[in-house]
Amino acid sequence: MNKTIIDCTTAIENNPKDISAYFNRGLAYARTQDLKNAIADFSRVLGRDPSHEGARLCRGLAYAEKSDWLNALTDYNAVIEQNPKREDAYFCRGYVFASQKKWDQAITDYSKAVDLNPEYETAFYNRGLAYAENGDQEKAIADYSKVVSLHPTQSDAYHNRGTAYTELGNLRKAIADFTRALEINPKHEVACFCRAVALAQKGDLENAIADYSKALRLNPGRIGAWYNRGAAYVRKGDKNRAIADFSKVVELNSKHADAFFNRGVAFAEKDDWDKAIADFTKTAKLNPKYEPAYYHRGLSYAIKKEVKKAVADFNKALALAPEHEDAYYHRGLGHAKLKDHEKAIADFTKVIGLNPTRAPAFYNRGLGYLKQAAWDQAIADCTRTLELTPRHAPAFFHRGLAFADKGAV
Protein backbone atom coordinates (compact mmCIF):
# COMPACT_ATOMS: atom_id res chain seq x y z
CA MET A 1 0.00 0.00 0.00
CA ASN A 2 1.12 3.58 -0.69
CA LYS A 3 3.20 4.92 2.22
CA THR A 4 1.25 8.18 2.32
CA ILE A 5 -2.00 6.26 2.64
CA ILE A 6 -0.55 4.16 5.46
CA ASP A 7 0.75 7.23 7.30
CA CYS A 8 -2.52 9.12 6.92
CA THR A 9 -4.52 6.09 8.05
CA THR A 10 -2.35 5.88 11.19
CA ALA A 11 -2.86 9.59 11.82
CA ILE A 12 -6.65 9.17 11.49
CA GLU A 13 -6.62 6.23 13.90
CA ASN A 14 -4.77 8.39 16.40
CA ASN A 15 -7.00 11.41 15.79
CA PRO A 16 -10.28 10.70 13.92
CA LYS A 17 -10.97 14.45 13.74
CA ASP A 18 -7.78 15.25 11.81
CA ILE A 19 -9.32 16.49 8.54
CA SER A 20 -5.89 17.19 7.02
CA ALA A 21 -5.13 13.47 7.29
CA TYR A 22 -8.37 12.63 5.47
CA PHE A 23 -7.60 15.26 2.84
CA ASN A 24 -4.05 14.04 2.23
CA ARG A 25 -5.17 10.44 2.16
CA GLY A 26 -7.82 11.42 -0.38
CA LEU A 27 -5.08 13.00 -2.52
CA ALA A 28 -3.00 9.83 -2.24
CA TYR A 29 -5.97 7.67 -3.23
CA ALA A 30 -6.63 9.95 -6.20
CA ARG A 31 -3.01 9.68 -7.36
CA THR A 32 -3.32 5.88 -7.35
CA GLN A 33 -6.65 6.13 -9.24
CA ASP A 34 -8.56 4.72 -6.27
CA LEU A 35 -11.31 7.24 -6.94
CA LYS A 36 -13.96 5.62 -4.78
CA ASN A 37 -11.85 5.97 -1.63
CA ALA A 38 -10.61 9.39 -2.69
CA ILE A 39 -14.19 10.65 -2.98
CA ALA A 40 -15.04 9.06 0.38
CA ASP A 41 -12.16 10.88 2.10
CA PHE A 42 -12.90 14.25 0.49
CA SER A 43 -16.54 13.78 1.53
CA ARG A 44 -15.41 13.15 5.13
CA VAL A 45 -13.46 16.40 5.06
CA LEU A 46 -16.48 18.27 3.75
CA GLY A 47 -18.69 16.65 6.36
CA ARG A 48 -16.54 18.26 9.02
CA ASP A 49 -15.74 21.49 7.12
CA PRO A 50 -18.20 22.31 4.32
CA SER A 51 -16.13 25.39 3.40
CA HIS A 52 -12.98 23.38 2.55
CA GLU A 53 -12.43 24.54 -1.05
CA GLY A 54 -9.57 22.13 -1.71
CA ALA A 55 -11.56 19.06 -0.72
CA ARG A 56 -14.56 20.14 -2.80
CA LEU A 57 -12.41 20.93 -5.83
CA CYS A 58 -10.52 17.65 -5.52
CA ARG A 59 -13.71 15.69 -5.10
CA GLY A 60 -14.96 17.35 -8.28
CA LEU A 61 -11.77 16.24 -10.03
CA ALA A 62 -12.30 12.67 -8.81
CA TYR A 63 -15.90 12.71 -10.04
CA ALA A 64 -14.69 14.05 -13.40
CA GLU A 65 -12.15 11.23 -13.63
CA LYS A 66 -15.08 8.84 -13.26
CA SER A 67 -16.99 10.82 -15.95
CA ASP A 68 -19.58 11.63 -13.29
CA TRP A 69 -20.16 15.05 -14.82
CA LEU A 70 -23.21 15.98 -12.76
CA ASN A 71 -21.50 15.56 -9.39
CA ALA A 72 -18.31 17.15 -10.71
CA LEU A 73 -20.28 20.23 -11.84
CA THR A 74 -22.07 20.39 -8.52
CA ASP A 75 -18.74 20.57 -6.69
CA TYR A 76 -17.17 23.08 -9.09
CA ASN A 77 -20.25 25.31 -8.92
CA ALA A 78 -20.05 25.29 -5.14
CA VAL A 79 -16.35 26.25 -5.19
CA ILE A 80 -17.00 29.11 -7.62
CA GLU A 81 -19.92 30.36 -5.55
CA GLN A 82 -17.70 30.32 -2.49
CA ASN A 83 -14.68 31.85 -4.25
CA PRO A 84 -15.50 33.53 -7.60
CA LYS A 85 -11.83 34.33 -8.21
CA ARG A 86 -10.55 30.78 -8.13
CA GLU A 87 -9.31 30.30 -11.72
CA ASP A 88 -8.68 26.56 -11.39
CA ALA A 89 -12.35 25.97 -10.55
CA TYR A 90 -13.40 27.71 -13.77
CA PHE A 91 -10.78 25.69 -15.66
CA CYS A 92 -12.06 22.43 -14.20
CA ARG A 93 -15.67 23.28 -14.92
CA GLY A 94 -14.66 24.24 -18.46
CA TYR A 95 -13.07 20.83 -18.83
CA VAL A 96 -16.32 19.14 -17.81
CA PHE A 97 -18.28 21.18 -20.35
CA ALA A 98 -15.70 20.37 -23.05
CA SER A 99 -15.93 16.67 -22.19
CA GLN A 100 -19.66 16.94 -22.87
CA LYS A 101 -18.98 18.84 -26.14
CA LYS A 102 -20.66 21.95 -24.72
CA TRP A 103 -18.12 24.16 -26.42
CA ASP A 104 -19.67 27.57 -25.78
CA GLN A 105 -19.91 26.93 -22.04
CA ALA A 106 -16.39 25.51 -21.99
CA ILE A 107 -15.05 28.60 -23.78
CA THR A 108 -16.83 30.88 -21.29
CA ASP A 109 -15.20 29.13 -18.33
CA TYR A 110 -11.74 28.96 -19.89
CA SER A 111 -12.06 32.67 -20.70
CA LYS A 112 -12.87 33.43 -17.08
CA ALA A 113 -9.82 31.41 -16.01
CA VAL A 114 -7.44 33.38 -18.27
CA ASP A 115 -9.06 36.66 -17.26
CA LEU A 116 -8.17 35.80 -13.66
CA ASN A 117 -4.73 34.53 -14.63
CA PRO A 118 -3.39 35.92 -17.94
CA GLU A 119 -0.53 33.40 -17.89
CA TYR A 120 -2.70 30.32 -17.40
CA GLU A 121 -1.11 28.33 -20.22
CA THR A 122 -3.31 25.23 -19.96
CA ALA A 123 -6.49 27.31 -20.00
CA PHE A 124 -5.37 29.05 -23.19
CA TYR A 125 -4.49 25.67 -24.68
CA ASN A 126 -7.83 24.09 -23.78
CA ARG A 127 -9.73 27.13 -24.96
CA GLY A 128 -7.90 26.80 -28.26
CA LEU A 129 -9.08 23.19 -28.48
CA ALA A 130 -12.65 24.28 -27.73
CA TYR A 131 -12.54 27.07 -30.32
CA ALA A 132 -11.24 24.60 -32.92
CA GLU A 133 -13.98 22.09 -32.12
CA ASN A 134 -16.51 24.92 -32.31
CA GLY A 135 -15.27 25.83 -35.81
CA ASP A 136 -13.53 29.10 -34.92
CA GLN A 137 -10.03 28.36 -36.20
CA GLU A 138 -8.84 31.99 -36.07
CA LYS A 139 -9.47 32.22 -32.33
CA ALA A 140 -7.96 28.77 -31.84
CA ILE A 141 -4.80 29.99 -33.58
CA ALA A 142 -4.69 33.05 -31.33
CA ASP A 143 -4.86 30.85 -28.23
CA TYR A 144 -2.22 28.42 -29.43
CA SER A 145 -0.01 31.40 -30.26
CA LYS A 146 -0.44 32.62 -26.70
CA VAL A 147 0.57 29.19 -25.42
CA VAL A 148 3.80 29.11 -27.43
CA SER A 149 4.60 32.66 -26.28
CA LEU A 150 4.33 31.41 -22.70
CA HIS A 151 5.93 28.04 -23.39
CA PRO A 152 8.01 28.07 -26.62
CA THR A 153 8.68 24.33 -26.52
CA GLN A 154 5.07 23.19 -26.22
CA SER A 155 5.04 20.90 -29.26
CA ASP A 156 1.32 20.09 -29.03
CA ALA A 157 0.45 23.79 -29.31
CA TYR A 158 2.44 24.03 -32.56
CA HIS A 159 0.79 20.85 -33.81
CA ASN A 160 -2.72 22.07 -33.02
CA ARG A 161 -2.04 25.49 -34.50
CA GLY A 162 -0.82 23.71 -37.62
CA THR A 163 -4.07 21.75 -37.72
CA ALA A 164 -6.05 25.00 -37.48
CA TYR A 165 -4.01 26.51 -40.31
CA THR A 166 -4.71 23.38 -42.37
CA GLU A 167 -8.44 23.83 -41.76
CA LEU A 168 -8.12 27.40 -43.05
CA GLY A 169 -6.19 26.24 -46.12
CA ASN A 170 -2.97 27.97 -45.10
CA LEU A 171 -0.74 25.01 -45.87
CA ARG A 172 2.52 26.96 -45.73
CA LYS A 173 1.97 28.01 -42.11
CA ALA A 174 0.56 24.60 -41.24
CA ILE A 175 3.67 22.83 -42.51
CA ALA A 176 5.89 25.31 -40.66
CA ASP A 177 4.08 24.57 -37.39
CA PHE A 178 4.17 20.81 -37.84
CA THR A 179 7.87 21.11 -38.62
CA ARG A 180 8.46 23.14 -35.44
CA ALA A 181 6.55 20.53 -33.40
CA LEU A 182 8.81 17.83 -34.84
CA GLU A 183 11.94 19.86 -34.13
CA ILE A 184 10.88 20.01 -30.49
CA ASN A 185 9.71 16.41 -30.38
CA PRO A 186 11.03 14.25 -33.27
CA LYS A 187 8.76 11.42 -32.10
CA HIS A 188 5.57 13.48 -32.40
CA GLU A 189 3.88 10.96 -34.65
CA VAL A 190 0.65 12.93 -35.04
CA ALA A 191 2.51 16.06 -36.18
CA CYS A 192 4.40 13.92 -38.67
CA PHE A 193 1.14 12.48 -39.99
CA CYS A 194 -0.51 15.89 -40.20
CA ARG A 195 2.46 17.38 -42.03
CA ALA A 196 2.18 14.54 -44.52
CA VAL A 197 -1.50 15.39 -45.07
CA ALA A 198 -0.64 19.05 -45.67
CA LEU A 199 2.21 18.17 -48.03
CA ALA A 200 -0.09 15.86 -49.99
CA GLN A 201 -2.66 18.65 -50.29
CA LYS A 202 0.09 20.87 -51.68
CA GLY A 203 0.95 18.19 -54.21
CA ASP A 204 4.36 17.44 -52.68
CA LEU A 205 3.85 13.69 -52.84
CA GLU A 206 7.47 12.64 -52.34
CA ASN A 207 7.78 14.43 -48.99
CA ALA A 208 4.25 13.43 -48.02
CA ILE A 209 5.13 9.77 -48.56
CA ALA A 210 8.34 10.24 -46.57
CA ASP A 211 6.34 11.68 -43.65
CA TYR A 212 3.71 8.95 -43.78
CA SER A 213 6.56 6.42 -43.72
CA LYS A 214 8.12 8.11 -40.70
CA ALA A 215 4.74 8.24 -38.94
CA LEU A 216 4.38 4.50 -39.58
CA ARG A 217 7.81 3.79 -38.12
CA LEU A 218 6.67 5.63 -35.00
CA ASN A 219 3.25 3.97 -34.96
CA PRO A 220 2.81 0.99 -37.29
CA GLY A 221 -0.82 0.69 -36.25
CA ARG A 222 -1.94 4.07 -37.59
CA ILE A 223 -4.40 2.98 -40.27
CA GLY A 224 -4.80 6.49 -41.66
CA ALA A 225 -1.10 6.68 -42.51
CA TRP A 226 -1.22 3.39 -44.43
CA TYR A 227 -4.36 4.50 -46.25
CA ASN A 228 -3.13 8.00 -47.08
CA ARG A 229 0.25 6.75 -48.22
CA GLY A 230 -1.57 4.32 -50.50
CA ALA A 231 -3.59 7.23 -51.90
CA ALA A 232 -0.37 9.18 -52.47
CA TYR A 233 1.13 6.22 -54.32
CA VAL A 234 -2.01 6.11 -56.49
CA ARG A 235 -1.50 9.77 -57.41
CA LYS A 236 2.12 8.99 -58.31
CA GLY A 237 1.02 6.07 -60.46
CA ASP A 238 2.77 3.50 -58.27
CA LYS A 239 -0.02 0.93 -58.28
CA ASN A 240 1.94 -1.90 -56.67
CA ARG A 241 2.92 0.12 -53.61
CA ALA A 242 -0.62 1.51 -53.40
CA ILE A 243 -2.03 -2.02 -53.40
CA ALA A 244 0.45 -3.06 -50.69
CA ASP A 245 -0.62 -0.16 -48.46
CA PHE A 246 -4.34 -0.69 -48.97
CA SER A 247 -3.77 -4.39 -48.24
CA LYS A 248 -2.16 -3.41 -44.94
CA VAL A 249 -5.19 -1.27 -44.14
CA VAL A 250 -7.65 -4.13 -44.63
CA GLU A 251 -5.34 -6.40 -42.66
CA LEU A 252 -5.63 -3.98 -39.74
CA ASN A 253 -9.32 -3.26 -40.32
CA SER A 254 -11.24 -5.82 -42.35
CA LYS A 255 -14.23 -3.45 -42.55
CA HIS A 256 -12.42 -0.52 -44.16
CA ALA A 257 -14.62 -0.14 -47.24
CA ASP A 258 -12.63 2.73 -48.75
CA ALA A 259 -9.42 0.69 -48.70
CA PHE A 260 -11.10 -2.22 -50.48
CA PHE A 261 -12.54 0.18 -53.05
CA ASN A 262 -9.28 1.98 -53.76
CA ARG A 263 -7.38 -1.29 -53.93
CA GLY A 264 -9.98 -2.43 -56.43
CA VAL A 265 -9.38 0.67 -58.54
CA ALA A 266 -5.63 0.00 -58.44
CA PHE A 267 -6.17 -3.61 -59.49
CA ALA A 268 -8.39 -2.41 -62.34
CA GLU A 269 -5.67 -0.02 -63.49
CA LYS A 270 -3.38 -3.07 -63.63
CA ASP A 271 -6.02 -4.90 -65.72
CA ASP A 272 -6.42 -7.44 -62.92
CA TRP A 273 -10.18 -7.53 -63.29
CA ASP A 274 -10.94 -10.53 -61.09
CA LYS A 275 -9.19 -9.00 -58.08
CA ALA A 276 -10.79 -5.66 -58.84
CA ILE A 277 -14.25 -7.25 -58.92
CA ALA A 278 -13.55 -9.06 -55.64
CA ASP A 279 -12.62 -5.80 -53.95
CA PHE A 280 -15.59 -3.89 -55.35
CA THR A 281 -17.83 -6.74 -54.18
CA LYS A 282 -16.36 -6.50 -50.69
CA THR A 283 -16.88 -2.74 -50.73
CA ALA A 284 -20.53 -3.12 -51.69
CA LYS A 285 -21.05 -5.70 -48.97
CA LEU A 286 -19.57 -3.36 -46.35
CA ASN A 287 -21.37 -0.30 -47.69
CA PRO A 288 -24.38 -1.30 -49.81
CA LYS A 289 -25.18 2.35 -50.60
CA TYR A 290 -21.75 3.18 -52.01
CA GLU A 291 -22.60 3.76 -55.66
CA PRO A 292 -19.02 3.87 -57.07
CA ALA A 293 -18.49 0.23 -56.03
CA TYR A 294 -21.31 -0.90 -58.33
CA TYR A 295 -20.26 1.42 -61.14
CA HIS A 296 -16.63 0.29 -61.13
CA ARG A 297 -17.57 -3.35 -60.77
CA GLY A 298 -19.86 -2.85 -63.75
CA LEU A 299 -16.97 -1.45 -65.78
CA SER A 300 -14.84 -4.45 -64.80
CA TYR A 301 -17.55 -6.90 -65.82
CA ALA A 302 -18.00 -5.03 -69.10
CA ILE A 303 -14.31 -5.38 -69.93
CA LYS A 304 -14.53 -9.10 -69.09
CA LYS A 305 -17.49 -9.23 -71.54
CA GLU A 306 -19.86 -10.31 -68.77
CA VAL A 307 -22.40 -7.87 -70.11
CA LYS A 308 -25.48 -8.93 -68.17
CA LYS A 309 -23.60 -8.58 -64.88
CA ALA A 310 -22.29 -5.21 -66.02
CA VAL A 311 -25.78 -3.95 -66.81
CA ALA A 312 -27.07 -5.22 -63.46
CA ASP A 313 -24.36 -3.23 -61.67
CA PHE A 314 -25.05 -0.09 -63.66
CA ASN A 315 -28.70 -0.50 -62.68
CA LYS A 316 -27.67 -0.57 -59.01
CA ALA A 317 -25.40 2.43 -59.47
CA LEU A 318 -28.17 4.44 -61.10
CA ALA A 319 -30.67 3.51 -58.41
CA LEU A 320 -28.30 5.21 -55.95
CA ALA A 321 -27.13 8.05 -58.23
CA PRO A 322 -29.84 8.80 -60.80
CA GLU A 323 -27.80 11.55 -62.50
CA HIS A 324 -24.63 9.48 -63.03
CA GLU A 325 -23.91 10.28 -66.67
CA ASP A 326 -21.18 7.67 -67.17
CA ALA A 327 -23.33 4.90 -65.70
CA TYR A 328 -26.07 5.68 -68.22
CA TYR A 329 -23.50 5.71 -71.02
CA HIS A 330 -21.95 2.37 -70.14
CA ARG A 331 -25.33 0.80 -69.48
CA GLY A 332 -26.32 1.99 -72.93
CA LEU A 333 -23.29 0.23 -74.40
CA GLY A 334 -24.30 -2.88 -72.48
CA HIS A 335 -27.87 -2.77 -73.77
CA ALA A 336 -26.52 -2.32 -77.30
CA LYS A 337 -24.31 -5.43 -76.95
CA LEU A 338 -27.35 -7.33 -75.71
CA LYS A 339 -29.18 -6.05 -78.81
CA ASP A 340 -31.75 -4.20 -76.72
CA HIS A 341 -31.55 -1.10 -78.90
CA GLU A 342 -34.63 0.57 -77.43
CA LYS A 343 -33.05 0.65 -73.97
CA ALA A 344 -29.69 1.61 -75.41
CA ILE A 345 -31.25 4.61 -77.18
CA ALA A 346 -33.03 5.61 -73.97
CA ASP A 347 -29.76 5.55 -72.04
CA PHE A 348 -27.82 7.54 -74.62
CA THR A 349 -30.69 10.04 -74.73
CA LYS A 350 -30.37 10.42 -70.96
CA VAL A 351 -26.63 11.00 -71.32
CA ILE A 352 -27.24 13.68 -73.92
CA GLY A 353 -29.75 15.36 -71.63
CA LEU A 354 -27.09 15.48 -68.91
CA ASN A 355 -24.25 16.43 -71.26
CA PRO A 356 -25.31 17.79 -74.68
CA THR A 357 -21.71 17.87 -75.94
CA ARG A 358 -20.84 14.21 -75.37
CA ALA A 359 -20.17 13.11 -78.92
CA PRO A 360 -19.93 9.34 -78.26
CA ALA A 361 -23.47 9.40 -76.87
CA PHE A 362 -24.80 10.88 -80.11
CA TYR A 363 -22.75 8.41 -82.16
CA ASN A 364 -23.90 5.34 -80.23
CA ARG A 365 -27.49 6.52 -80.22
CA GLY A 366 -27.15 6.94 -83.96
CA LEU A 367 -26.03 3.33 -84.22
CA GLY A 368 -29.09 2.31 -82.24
CA TYR A 369 -31.36 4.23 -84.59
CA LEU A 370 -29.55 2.63 -87.53
CA LYS A 371 -30.34 -0.82 -86.10
CA GLN A 372 -33.99 0.23 -85.88
CA ALA A 373 -33.97 1.54 -89.45
CA ALA A 374 -34.73 5.03 -88.14
CA TRP A 375 -32.62 6.63 -90.88
CA ASP A 376 -33.39 10.28 -90.24
CA GLN A 377 -32.60 10.02 -86.54
CA ALA A 378 -29.42 8.05 -87.30
CA ILE A 379 -28.30 10.68 -89.82
CA ALA A 380 -29.06 13.49 -87.36
CA ASP A 381 -27.05 11.86 -84.59
CA CYS A 382 -24.07 11.09 -86.82
CA THR A 383 -24.18 14.66 -88.09
CA ARG A 384 -24.20 16.00 -84.52
CA THR A 385 -21.28 13.70 -83.70
CA LEU A 386 -19.32 15.22 -86.59
CA GLU A 387 -20.17 18.74 -85.46
CA LEU A 388 -18.65 17.94 -82.08
CA THR A 389 -15.75 15.80 -83.42
CA PRO A 390 -15.18 16.62 -87.10
CA ARG A 391 -12.67 13.79 -87.68
CA HIS A 392 -14.87 11.01 -86.32
CA ALA A 393 -14.42 8.54 -89.21
CA PRO A 394 -16.98 5.96 -87.98
CA ALA A 395 -19.62 8.69 -87.86
CA PHE A 396 -18.97 9.51 -91.54
CA PHE A 397 -19.16 5.81 -92.40
CA HIS A 398 -22.41 5.11 -90.56
CA ARG A 399 -24.03 8.32 -91.76
CA GLY A 400 -23.18 7.14 -95.25
CA LEU A 401 -24.82 3.81 -94.54
CA ALA A 402 -27.91 5.60 -93.23
CA PHE A 403 -28.13 7.77 -96.35
CA ALA A 404 -27.70 4.70 -98.55
CA ASP A 405 -30.25 2.65 -96.66
CA LYS A 406 -32.69 5.54 -96.68
CA GLY A 407 -32.23 5.94 -100.40
CA ALA A 408 -32.69 2.22 -100.97
CA VAL A 409 -36.00 2.40 -99.19
Side-chain angles (χ1 to χ4, degrees), residues 163-283:
T163 300
Y165 279 129
T166 301
E167 288 291 319
L168 293 175
N170 192 333
L171 298 178
R172 180 182 62 80
K173 287 188 175 181
I175 291 167
D177 271 350
F178 296 138
T179 300
R180 180 62 182 139
L182 287 163
E183 288 169 352
I184 296 166
N185 178 8
K187 294 185 177 181
H188 200 308
E189 172 251 328
V190 181
C192 192
F193 174 80
C194 290
R195 187 172 68 177
V197 171
L199 287 165
Q201 287 182 22
K202 276 191 70 178
D204 186 350
L205 297 177
E206 286 292 344
N207 283 316
I209 288 169
D211 269 354
Y212 285 133
S213 298
K214 181 180 178 181
L216 287 167
R217 287 194 294 274
L218 293 168
N219 179 8
R222 178 175 273 275
I223 291 175
W226 290 106
Y227 179 79
N228 284 9
R229 192 175 69 172
Y233 280 133
V234 167
R235 290 172 64 186
K236 279 177 60 67
D238 192 336
K239 303 175 189 67
N240 290 331
R241 284 194 171 97
I243 288 168
D245 277 354
F246 293 137
S247 296
K248 185 64 178 180
V249 173
V250 299
E251 176 188 324
L252 293 169
N253 178 4
S254 61
K255 294 184 179 181
H256 199 300
D258 288 342
F260 279 110
F261 175 76
N262 282 292
R263 189 175 69 174
V265 171
F267 278 131
E269 290 179 355
K270 284 169 59 70
D271 297 338
D272 193 338
W273 307 113
D274 289 335
K275 287 182 179 177
I277 288 168
D279 274 351
F280 297 140
T281 300
K282 183 68 173 179
T283 305

Side-chain angles (χ1 to χ4, degrees), residues 49-311:
D49 179 7
S51 66
H52 197 299
E53 286 179 29
R56 196 170 298 279
L57 186 69
C58 289
R59 189 175 68 176
L61 288 168
Y63 280 132
E65 280 289 308
K66 288 165 61 69
S67 300
D68 185 346
W69 309 124
L70 182 60
N71 278 317
L73 283 174
T74 300
D75 276 344
Y76 297 145
N77 289 339
V79 174
I80 290 168
E81 184 177 351
Q82 183 178 339
N83 183 359
K85 293 189 176 182
R86 182 149 186 168
E87 72 256 24
D88 54 351
Y90 288 104
F91 175 83
C92 291
R93 191 172 68 177
Y95 175 82
V96 169
F97 286 133
S99 298
Q100 296 177 294
K101 301 187 186 303
K102 296 178 179 179
W103 305 118
D104 290 333
Q105 290 162 279
I107 288 166
T108 297
D109 272 351
Y110 291 139
S111 297
K112 185 64 177 178
V114 299
D115 286 344
L116 291 166
N117 179 1
E119 296 190 354
Y120 200 154
E121 175 195 329
T122 312
F124 279 111
Y125 181 81
N126 280 26
R127 190 174 68 174
L129 294 175
Y131 276 134
E133 290 288 349
N134 214 27
D136 195 335
Q137 304 302 333
E138 294 285 359
K139 287 183 178 177
I141 288 168
D143 275 351
Y144 297 137
S145 297
K146 180 66 176 179
V147 173
V148 297
S149 73
L150 294 168
H151 185 173
T153 58
Q154 221 284 33
S155 60
D156 286 340
Y158 284 107
H159 161 252
N160 285 320
R161 190 172 70 176
T163 300
Y165 279 129
T166 301
E167 288 291 319
L168 293 175
N170 192 333
L171 298 178
R172 180 182 62 80
K173 287 188 175 181
I175 291 167
D177 271 350
F178 296 138
T179 300
R180 180 62 182 139
L182 287 163
E183 288 169 352
I184 296 166
N185 178 8
K187 294 185 177 181
H188 200 308
E189 172 251 328
V190 181
C192 192
F193 174 80
C194 290
R195 187 172 68 177
V197 171
L199 287 165
Q201 287 182 22
K202 276 191 70 178
D204 186 350
L205 297 177
E206 286 292 344
N207 283 316
I209 288 169
D211 269 354
Y212 285 133
S213 298
K214 181 180 178 181
L216 287 167
R217 287 194 294 274
L218 293 168
N219 179 8
R222 178 175 273 275
I223 291 175
W226 290 106
Y227 179 79
N228 284 9
R229 192 175 69 172
Y233 280 133
V234 167
R235 290 172 64 186
K236 279 177 60 67
D238 192 336
K239 303 175 189 67
N240 290 331
R241 284 194 171 97
I243 288 168
D245 277 354
F246 293 137
S247 296
K248 185 64 178 180
V249 173
V250 299
E251 176 188 324
L252 293 169
N253 178 4
S254 61
K255 294 184 179 181
H256 199 300
D258 288 342
F260 279 110
F261 175 76
N262 282 292
R263 189 175 69 174
V265 171
F267 278 131
E269 290 179 355
K270 284 169 59 70
D271 297 338
D272 193 338
W273 307 113
D274 289 335
K275 287 182 179 177
I277 288 168
D279 274 351
F280 297 140
T281 300
K282 183 68 173 179
T283 305
K285 184 177 180 180
L286 291 168
N287 185 358
K289 294 187 177 181
Y290 190 59
E291 173 269 329
Y294 300 107
Y295 172 70
H296 283 270
R297 189 173 66 180
L299 292 178
S300 300
Y301 278 132
I303 291 170
K304 281 171 61 66
K305 302 188 186 316
E306 296 184 43
V307 182
K308 289 183 179 179
K309 289 182 179 179
V311 169

